[in-house]
Amino acid sequence: MSGFSLGGLADFFPSRTVSLYMARSFLINTFAFLFGLVLILQTLDLLSESSRILAYPGNGDAQVWQYVSLRVPQIIATFLPFSVLLGTIITLSTLNQNSEVIAMKASGLSAHQVLAPLMIAGLGVAAISFTFNDRIVSRASSTLAAWKKVEYGPLPIDRGDRSNVWVRDGSHLIHVDQIRGRGDAALLGGVTVYERDGAVLKSLVSGKQAKRDGSGWRLDSAQRFDVAAGKVTPLGSVKIGNGVRPDQFTLSNVDAESMSFRALREAIDDLKAAGRPTKALEGSLWHKLSGPLSAVLMPLLGAVAAFGIARSGKLFVRAVMGMGLGFLYFVADNFALAMGNLGAYPPFLAAWAPFLLFAMIGEAVLLKTEE
Protein backbone atom coordinates (compact mmCIF):
# COMPACT_ATOMS: atom_id res chain seq x y z
CA MET A 1 0.00 0.00 0.00
CA SER A 2 2.83 2.42 0.87
CA GLY A 3 4.57 1.67 -2.42
CA PHE A 4 1.35 2.37 -4.32
CA SER A 5 0.86 5.67 -2.46
CA LEU A 6 4.39 6.79 -3.17
CA GLY A 7 4.04 5.80 -6.79
CA GLY A 8 0.79 7.72 -7.09
CA LEU A 9 2.41 10.77 -5.50
CA ALA A 10 5.35 10.58 -7.90
CA ASP A 11 2.95 10.38 -10.86
CA PHE A 12 1.35 13.66 -9.75
CA PHE A 13 4.54 15.58 -10.59
CA PRO A 14 6.01 16.10 -14.05
CA SER A 15 9.07 14.06 -14.92
CA ARG A 16 12.07 14.36 -12.63
CA THR A 17 13.96 16.39 -15.24
CA VAL A 18 11.11 18.85 -15.78
CA SER A 19 10.43 19.18 -12.04
CA LEU A 20 14.07 19.96 -11.27
CA TYR A 21 14.25 22.39 -14.20
CA MET A 22 11.19 24.32 -12.99
CA ALA A 23 12.23 24.33 -9.35
CA ARG A 24 15.75 25.47 -10.23
CA SER A 25 14.46 28.32 -12.42
CA PHE A 26 12.07 29.37 -9.68
CA LEU A 27 14.76 29.40 -6.97
CA ILE A 28 17.32 31.21 -9.16
CA ASN A 29 14.81 33.94 -10.07
CA THR A 30 13.63 34.27 -6.46
CA PHE A 31 17.07 34.69 -4.93
CA ALA A 32 18.25 36.91 -7.79
CA PHE A 33 15.38 39.29 -7.06
CA LEU A 34 16.11 39.04 -3.33
CA PHE A 35 19.79 39.90 -3.85
CA GLY A 36 18.87 42.94 -5.96
CA LEU A 37 16.27 44.20 -3.49
CA VAL A 38 18.57 43.76 -0.50
CA LEU A 39 21.44 45.53 -2.29
CA ILE A 40 19.31 48.54 -3.27
CA LEU A 41 17.40 48.86 0.01
CA GLN A 42 20.45 48.40 2.21
CA THR A 43 22.29 51.09 0.23
CA LEU A 44 19.41 53.53 0.67
CA ASP A 45 19.08 52.68 4.36
CA LEU A 46 22.82 53.12 4.92
CA LEU A 47 22.76 56.56 3.30
CA SER A 48 20.31 57.77 5.93
CA GLU A 49 21.77 55.91 8.94
CA SER A 50 25.55 56.14 8.41
CA SER A 51 25.69 59.74 9.66
CA ARG A 52 24.17 58.68 13.00
CA ILE A 53 26.59 55.75 13.31
CA LEU A 54 29.66 57.90 12.60
CA ALA A 55 28.43 60.66 14.90
CA TYR A 56 29.46 58.60 17.94
CA PRO A 57 33.13 59.32 18.80
CA GLY A 58 35.43 56.50 17.73
CA ASN A 59 33.04 54.86 15.29
CA GLY A 60 34.32 54.12 11.79
CA ASP A 61 34.05 51.64 8.94
CA ALA A 62 33.93 48.66 11.31
CA GLN A 63 30.76 49.97 12.98
CA VAL A 64 29.16 50.74 9.61
CA TRP A 65 29.75 47.15 8.49
CA GLN A 66 28.46 45.91 11.83
CA TYR A 67 25.26 47.85 11.20
CA VAL A 68 24.98 46.29 7.75
CA SER A 69 25.41 42.79 9.22
CA LEU A 70 22.54 43.46 11.62
CA ARG A 71 20.23 45.26 9.17
CA VAL A 72 20.56 42.90 6.19
CA PRO A 73 18.79 39.98 7.96
CA GLN A 74 15.81 42.24 8.69
CA ILE A 75 15.59 43.33 5.06
CA ILE A 76 15.85 39.72 3.86
CA ALA A 77 13.05 38.63 6.21
CA THR A 78 10.81 41.48 5.06
CA PHE A 79 11.32 41.16 1.31
CA LEU A 80 11.78 37.40 0.82
CA PRO A 81 8.01 36.90 0.25
CA PHE A 82 8.04 39.70 -2.38
CA SER A 83 11.02 38.03 -4.06
CA VAL A 84 9.17 34.70 -4.13
CA LEU A 85 6.21 36.42 -5.82
CA LEU A 86 8.41 38.11 -8.44
CA GLY A 87 10.39 34.90 -8.98
CA THR A 88 7.14 33.02 -9.54
CA ILE A 89 5.84 35.55 -12.07
CA ILE A 90 9.07 35.59 -14.08
CA THR A 91 9.41 31.78 -14.05
CA LEU A 92 5.84 31.11 -15.14
CA SER A 93 5.83 33.92 -17.73
CA THR A 94 9.05 32.57 -19.26
CA LEU A 95 7.68 29.03 -19.37
CA ASN A 96 4.51 30.30 -21.03
CA GLN A 97 6.33 32.50 -23.53
CA ASN A 98 8.52 29.58 -24.60
CA SER A 99 5.43 27.35 -25.00
CA GLU A 100 6.78 24.99 -22.32
CA VAL A 101 3.52 25.16 -20.37
CA ILE A 102 1.60 24.22 -23.54
CA ALA A 103 3.90 21.24 -24.04
CA MET A 104 3.34 20.06 -20.47
CA LYS A 105 -0.43 20.42 -20.76
CA ALA A 106 -0.37 18.63 -24.11
CA SER A 107 1.35 15.71 -22.38
CA GLY A 108 -1.66 15.37 -20.09
CA LEU A 109 -0.56 17.39 -17.05
CA SER A 110 -3.13 19.46 -15.19
CA ALA A 111 -2.52 23.01 -13.98
CA HIS A 112 -1.96 21.72 -10.44
CA GLN A 113 0.67 19.27 -11.70
CA VAL A 114 2.45 22.06 -13.57
CA LEU A 115 2.60 24.15 -10.38
CA ALA A 116 3.54 21.27 -8.07
CA PRO A 117 7.37 21.61 -8.42
CA LEU A 118 7.16 25.35 -7.65
CA MET A 119 4.98 24.78 -4.58
CA ILE A 120 7.36 22.11 -3.23
CA ALA A 121 10.28 24.49 -3.82
CA GLY A 122 8.24 27.20 -2.08
CA LEU A 123 7.81 24.87 0.90
CA GLY A 124 11.59 24.54 1.08
CA VAL A 125 11.93 28.34 0.95
CA ALA A 126 9.35 28.59 3.77
CA ALA A 127 11.35 26.19 5.95
CA ILE A 128 14.56 28.14 5.30
CA SER A 129 12.74 31.41 5.99
CA PHE A 130 11.33 30.21 9.33
CA THR A 131 14.73 28.92 10.49
CA PHE A 132 16.48 32.09 9.33
CA ASN A 133 13.93 34.32 11.08
CA ASP A 134 14.04 32.27 14.27
CA ARG A 135 17.80 31.88 14.57
CA ILE A 136 19.26 34.98 12.94
CA VAL A 137 16.70 37.74 12.41
CA SER A 138 15.40 37.68 16.01
CA ARG A 139 18.93 38.02 17.42
CA ALA A 140 19.91 40.69 14.90
CA SER A 141 16.76 42.70 15.68
CA SER A 142 17.38 42.46 19.43
CA THR A 143 21.03 43.52 19.09
CA LEU A 144 20.24 46.38 16.70
CA ALA A 145 17.48 47.70 18.98
CA ALA A 146 19.88 47.67 21.94
CA TRP A 147 22.60 49.35 19.87
CA LYS A 148 20.25 52.13 18.81
CA LYS A 149 19.36 52.77 22.46
CA VAL A 150 23.00 53.59 23.22
CA GLU A 151 23.26 55.81 20.11
CA TYR A 152 25.56 53.29 18.34
CA GLY A 153 28.02 53.35 21.22
CA PRO A 154 29.68 50.29 22.82
CA LEU A 155 27.14 47.55 23.48
CA PRO A 156 26.91 46.23 27.04
CA ILE A 157 27.51 42.49 27.45
CA ASP A 158 24.18 40.70 27.04
CA ARG A 159 23.72 37.94 29.61
CA GLY A 160 20.00 37.64 29.08
CA ASP A 161 19.19 40.04 31.94
CA ARG A 162 16.72 42.92 31.71
CA SER A 163 17.95 46.41 32.51
CA ASN A 164 16.68 49.96 33.07
CA VAL A 165 13.09 48.97 33.95
CA TRP A 166 10.47 51.33 35.36
CA VAL A 167 7.36 50.09 37.21
CA ARG A 168 4.50 52.09 38.75
CA ASP A 169 3.45 51.31 42.32
CA GLY A 170 0.38 53.45 42.94
CA SER A 171 1.64 57.04 42.84
CA HIS A 172 5.23 55.86 43.41
CA LEU A 173 7.72 54.83 40.73
CA ILE A 174 10.27 52.02 41.02
CA HIS A 175 13.40 52.04 38.87
CA VAL A 176 15.63 48.94 38.61
CA ASP A 177 19.06 48.96 37.00
CA GLN A 178 19.14 45.21 36.32
CA ILE A 179 16.87 42.17 36.78
CA ARG A 180 18.13 38.60 36.89
CA GLY A 181 15.99 35.48 36.90
CA ARG A 182 12.24 35.23 36.49
CA GLY A 183 9.13 34.66 38.57
CA ASP A 184 9.55 34.63 42.36
CA ALA A 185 13.27 33.93 41.86
CA ALA A 186 13.79 37.32 40.19
CA LEU A 187 16.56 39.40 41.76
CA LEU A 188 16.47 43.20 41.42
CA GLY A 189 19.73 45.14 41.41
CA GLY A 190 20.20 48.89 41.84
CA VAL A 191 16.67 49.71 43.08
CA THR A 192 15.36 53.26 43.53
CA VAL A 193 11.83 54.01 44.73
CA TYR A 194 10.55 57.51 43.93
CA GLU A 195 7.98 58.16 46.67
CA ARG A 196 5.50 60.77 45.53
CA ASP A 197 2.48 62.55 46.92
CA GLY A 198 0.48 62.93 43.75
CA ALA A 199 2.92 64.55 41.33
CA VAL A 200 5.21 65.91 44.08
CA LEU A 201 8.40 63.98 44.82
CA LYS A 202 8.80 63.54 48.59
CA SER A 203 11.68 61.10 49.01
CA LEU A 204 13.89 58.49 47.36
CA VAL A 205 14.45 55.04 48.84
CA SER A 206 17.41 53.24 47.31
CA GLY A 207 19.25 49.97 47.83
CA LYS A 208 21.63 47.62 46.11
CA GLN A 209 19.42 44.54 45.90
CA ALA A 210 15.83 43.39 46.37
CA LYS A 211 14.24 39.94 46.31
CA ARG A 212 10.69 38.62 46.49
CA ASP A 213 9.10 38.72 49.95
CA GLY A 214 5.46 37.68 50.09
CA SER A 215 3.43 40.07 47.93
CA GLY A 216 6.23 42.66 47.87
CA TRP A 217 10.01 42.95 47.73
CA ARG A 218 12.63 43.01 50.49
CA LEU A 219 15.20 45.76 49.82
CA ASP A 220 18.52 45.30 51.61
CA SER A 221 20.88 48.06 52.82
CA ALA A 222 18.26 50.67 52.04
CA GLN A 223 18.43 54.38 52.73
CA ARG A 224 15.93 57.21 52.32
CA PHE A 225 16.74 60.67 50.98
CA ASP A 226 14.20 63.26 52.11
CA VAL A 227 13.87 65.87 49.37
CA ALA A 228 12.54 68.68 51.60
CA ALA A 229 15.03 68.22 54.44
CA GLY A 230 17.94 67.13 52.27
CA LYS A 231 18.79 64.37 54.77
CA VAL A 232 19.82 60.75 54.17
CA THR A 233 18.49 58.19 56.68
CA PRO A 234 19.70 54.57 56.81
CA LEU A 235 16.77 52.14 56.83
CA GLY A 236 18.42 48.72 56.77
CA SER A 237 16.10 46.07 55.30
CA VAL A 238 12.66 47.37 54.24
CA LYS A 239 9.73 46.05 52.26
CA ILE A 240 8.77 47.91 49.07
CA GLY A 241 6.43 47.45 46.13
CA ASN A 242 3.63 45.62 47.94
CA GLY A 243 1.43 44.13 45.20
CA VAL A 244 4.01 44.63 42.43
CA ARG A 245 4.32 41.29 40.59
CA PRO A 246 7.59 39.84 39.23
CA ASP A 247 6.25 39.84 35.66
CA GLN A 248 5.93 43.64 35.84
CA PHE A 249 9.73 43.74 35.97
CA THR A 250 10.72 40.74 33.84
CA LEU A 251 8.05 41.15 31.14
CA SER A 252 7.75 44.91 31.03
CA ASN A 253 8.57 45.04 27.32
CA VAL A 254 8.04 42.00 25.08
CA ASP A 255 9.14 42.62 21.49
CA ALA A 256 7.87 39.76 19.32
CA GLU A 257 10.19 40.62 16.43
CA SER A 258 13.27 40.32 18.65
CA MET A 259 12.31 36.94 20.10
CA SER A 260 12.48 33.41 18.73
CA PHE A 261 9.33 31.32 18.41
CA ARG A 262 10.10 29.36 21.59
CA ALA A 263 11.08 32.43 23.65
CA LEU A 264 7.94 34.28 22.58
CA ARG A 265 5.75 31.30 23.46
CA GLU A 266 7.34 31.15 26.94
CA ALA A 267 6.81 34.89 27.41
CA ILE A 268 3.14 34.51 26.45
CA ASP A 269 2.73 31.66 28.97
CA ASP A 270 4.27 33.84 31.71
CA LEU A 271 2.02 36.76 30.85
CA LYS A 272 -1.06 34.52 30.87
CA ALA A 273 -0.08 33.16 34.29
CA ALA A 274 0.17 36.76 35.51
CA GLY A 275 -3.26 37.58 34.11
CA ARG A 276 -1.98 40.07 31.56
CA PRO A 277 -3.37 40.44 27.99
CA THR A 278 -1.57 38.40 25.33
CA LYS A 279 -3.80 38.58 22.25
CA ALA A 280 -1.45 40.78 20.19
CA LEU A 281 1.55 38.60 21.03
CA GLU A 282 -0.37 35.43 20.21
CA GLY A 283 -1.13 36.86 16.77
CA SER A 284 2.57 37.58 16.27
CA LEU A 285 3.41 34.03 17.40
CA TRP A 286 1.05 32.51 14.83
CA HIS A 287 2.38 34.90 12.18
CA LYS A 288 5.89 33.50 12.69
CA LEU A 289 4.44 30.37 11.03
CA SER A 290 2.00 31.83 8.51
CA GLY A 291 4.46 34.49 7.28
CA PRO A 292 7.11 32.09 5.91
CA LEU A 293 4.40 29.80 4.48
CA SER A 294 3.37 32.59 2.11
CA ALA A 295 6.19 31.25 -0.11
CA VAL A 296 3.97 28.21 -0.81
CA LEU A 297 1.04 30.48 -1.71
CA MET A 298 2.87 32.65 -4.25
CA PRO A 299 2.98 30.05 -7.10
CA LEU A 300 -0.79 29.65 -6.76
CA LEU A 301 -1.41 33.41 -6.90
CA GLY A 302 1.03 33.90 -9.77
CA ALA A 303 -0.33 30.95 -11.77
CA VAL A 304 -2.50 33.26 -13.86
CA ALA A 305 0.71 34.20 -15.74
CA ALA A 306 1.37 30.58 -16.73
CA PHE A 307 -1.77 29.68 -18.62
CA GLY A 308 -3.23 31.11 -21.78
CA ILE A 309 -1.73 31.64 -25.21
CA ALA A 310 1.34 33.88 -25.04
CA ARG A 311 0.93 35.23 -28.54
CA SER A 312 -2.51 36.58 -27.68
CA GLY A 313 -0.72 39.66 -26.36
CA LYS A 314 -2.20 39.31 -22.89
CA LEU A 315 0.80 37.70 -21.18
CA PHE A 316 1.87 41.02 -19.68
CA VAL A 317 -1.67 41.68 -18.43
CA ARG A 318 -1.79 38.25 -16.78
CA ALA A 319 1.61 38.83 -15.18
CA VAL A 320 0.35 42.13 -13.76
CA MET A 321 -2.77 40.34 -12.47
CA GLY A 322 -0.58 37.78 -10.72
CA MET A 323 1.51 40.50 -9.11
CA GLY A 324 -1.67 42.32 -8.12
CA LEU A 325 -3.03 39.24 -6.35
CA GLY A 326 0.27 38.79 -4.54
CA PHE A 327 0.48 42.39 -3.37
CA LEU A 328 -3.17 42.30 -2.28
CA TYR A 329 -2.28 39.33 -0.10
CA PHE A 330 0.52 41.29 1.59
CA VAL A 331 -1.84 44.23 2.17
CA ALA A 332 -4.50 41.94 3.65
CA ASP A 333 -1.89 40.17 5.78
CA ASN A 334 -0.59 43.42 7.30
CA PHE A 335 -4.12 44.72 7.80
CA ALA A 336 -5.24 41.54 9.60
CA LEU A 337 -2.15 41.58 11.81
CA ALA A 338 -2.82 45.24 12.72
CA MET A 339 -6.44 44.38 13.57
CA GLY A 340 -5.17 41.55 15.73
CA ASN A 341 -2.85 43.92 17.59
CA LEU A 342 -5.82 46.20 18.24
CA GLY A 343 -7.86 43.25 19.52
CA ALA A 344 -10.44 43.45 16.71
CA TYR A 345 -9.49 39.99 15.33
CA PRO A 346 -8.74 36.81 17.31
CA PRO A 347 -5.02 35.92 17.16
CA PHE A 348 -5.42 32.80 14.99
CA LEU A 349 -7.70 34.62 12.56
CA ALA A 350 -5.37 37.61 12.34
CA ALA A 351 -2.44 35.38 11.33
CA TRP A 352 -4.11 32.77 9.15
CA ALA A 353 -7.24 34.35 7.62
CA PRO A 354 -5.40 36.14 4.75
CA PHE A 355 -3.44 32.97 3.94
CA LEU A 356 -6.56 30.79 3.79
CA LEU A 357 -8.61 33.44 1.96
CA PHE A 358 -6.04 33.97 -0.80
CA ALA A 359 -5.41 30.23 -1.07
CA MET A 360 -9.09 29.87 -1.98
CA ILE A 361 -8.93 32.88 -4.32
CA GLY A 362 -5.84 31.49 -6.04
CA GLU A 363 -7.47 28.09 -6.41
CA ALA A 364 -10.62 29.64 -7.88
CA VAL A 365 -8.58 31.73 -10.37
CA LEU A 366 -6.54 28.65 -11.32
CA LEU A 367 -9.64 26.54 -11.97
CA LYS A 368 -11.23 29.34 -13.97
CA THR A 369 -8.04 29.81 -16.01
CA GLU A 370 -7.75 26.08 -16.68
CA GLU A 371 -11.29 25.99 -18.01
Side-chain angles (χ1 to χ4, degrees), residues 77 117 122 124 135 142-143 146 160 164 181 187 195 202 222 232 265 304 312 322 346 352 356 368-369:
R135 298 289 183 180
S142 177
T143 303
N164 192 31
L187 194 64
E195 297 181 330
K202 293 294 186 181
V232 176
R265 186 173 58 186
V304 67
S312 64
W352 287 103
L356 298 175
K368 181 67 175 178
T369 303

Side-chain angles (χ1 to χ4, degrees), residues 256 264 279-289 337 341 347 351:
L264 180 57
K279 297 297 184 184
L281 293 175
E282 287 179 50
S284 298
L285 182 70
W286 280 116
H287 196 261
K288 285 181 178 288
L289 297 175
L337 197 60
N341 291 337

Side-chain angles (χ1 to χ4, degrees), residues 50 62 102 141 253 278 314 343:
S50 58
I102 295 175
S141 298
N253 183 23
T278 61
K314 296 182 179 179

Side-chain angles (χ1 to χ4, degrees), residues 6-321:
L6 290 173
L9 182 61
D11 291 341
F12 180 78
F13 292 90
S15 70
R16 178 183 176 87
T17 302
V18 173
S19 296
L20 291 176
Y21 165 69
M22 293 179 65
R24 184 173 64 249
S25 299
F26 166 72
L27 292 174
I28 290 174
N29 288 328
T30 294
F31 287 104
F33 274 115
L34 180 62
F35 177 79
L37 286 172
V38 170
L39 185 63
I40 294 171
L41 293 170
Q42 180 58 80
T43 301
L44 295 174
D45 179 67
L46 198 58
L47 287 174
S48 63
E49 202 68 23
S50 58
S51 59
R52 297 187 181 94
I53 299 171
L54 297 174
Y56 191 91
N59 281 358
D61 291 345
Q63 284 69 35
V64 171
W65 284 112
Q66 182 182 0
Y67 174 80
V68 171
S69 69
L70 296 173
R71 189 72 177 97
V72 163
Q74 293 182 328
I75 297 175
I76 291 175
T78 302
F79 289 94
L80 180 57
F82 292 95
S83 301
V84 173
L85 173 63
L86 296 173
T88 299
I89 297 295
I90 293 298
T91 300
L92 294 178
S93 298
T94 303
L95 291 173
N96 190 1
Q97 192 171 26
N98 295 336
S99 300
E100 292 167 293
V101 172
I102 295 175
M104 285 187 280
K105 296 205 69 176
S107 66
L109 296 178
S110 67
H112 292 88
Q113 288 174 297
V114 172
L115 293 179
L118 272 63
M119 298 187 75
I120 293 299
L123 186 62
V125 172
I128 294 172
S129 176
F130 174 80
T131 304
F132 180 76
N133 293 347
D134 204 54
R135 298 289 183 180
I136 298 177
V137 177
S138 59
R139 296 176 184 177
S141 298
S142 177
T143 303
L144 186 57
W147 199 21
K148 286 184 176 180
K149 285 182 180 179
V150 295
E151 299 293 334
Y152 297 110
L155 274 170
I157 298 174
D158 184 9
R159 296 185 174 89
D161 303 331
R162 276 72 60 199
S163 60
N164 192 31
V165 175
W166 290 84
V167 172
R168 181 182 293 275
D169 176 22
S171 62
H172 306 328
L173 295 175
I174 302 176
H175 176 256
V176 181
D177 290 336
Q178 190 176 50
I179 304 106
R180 297 177 181 174
R182 55 190 293 185
D184 288 336
L187 194 64
L188 313 182
V191 181
T192 303
V193 182
Y194 294 80
E195 297 181 330
R196 304 188 302 174
D197 182 8
V200 180
L201 180 64
K202 293 294 186 181
S203 59
L204 280 75
V205 177
S206 59
K208 293 183 178 180
Q209 184 174 286
K211 57 185 177 180
R212 191 70 170 155
D213 182 11
S215 60
W217 301 84
R218 178 64 58 181
L219 181 63
D220 298 326
S221 303
Q223 60 182 16
R224 172 179 280 111
F225 173 73
D226 189 287
V227 175
K231 292 176 57 179
V232 176
T233 307
L235 300 177
S237 178
V238 296
K239 192 173 182 179
I240 63 169
N242 190 40
V244 177
R245 305 182 308 273
D247 64 278
Q248 290 179 259
F249 293 105
T250 59
L251 296 173
S252 59
N253 183 23
V254 178
D255 182 12
E257 185 180 351
S258 300
M259 303 179 74
S260 65
F261 184 86
R262 180 179 177 181
L264 180 57
R265 186 173 58 186
E266 291 177 352
I268 290 172
D269 291 340
D270 289 345
L271 288 169
K272 281 184 177 180
R276 294 172 63 181
T278 61
K279 297 297 184 184
L281 293 175
E282 287 179 50
S284 298
L285 182 70
W286 280 116
H287 196 261
K288 285 181 178 288
L289 297 175
S290 65
L293 277 175
S294 63
V296 182
L297 189 60
M298 292 304 109
L300 191 61
L301 297 180
V304 67
F307 304 102
I309 302 174
R311 63 175 177 270
S312 64
K314 296 182 179 179
L315 178 59
F316 177 75
V317 175
R318 289 196 298 275
V320 171
M321 288 174 59

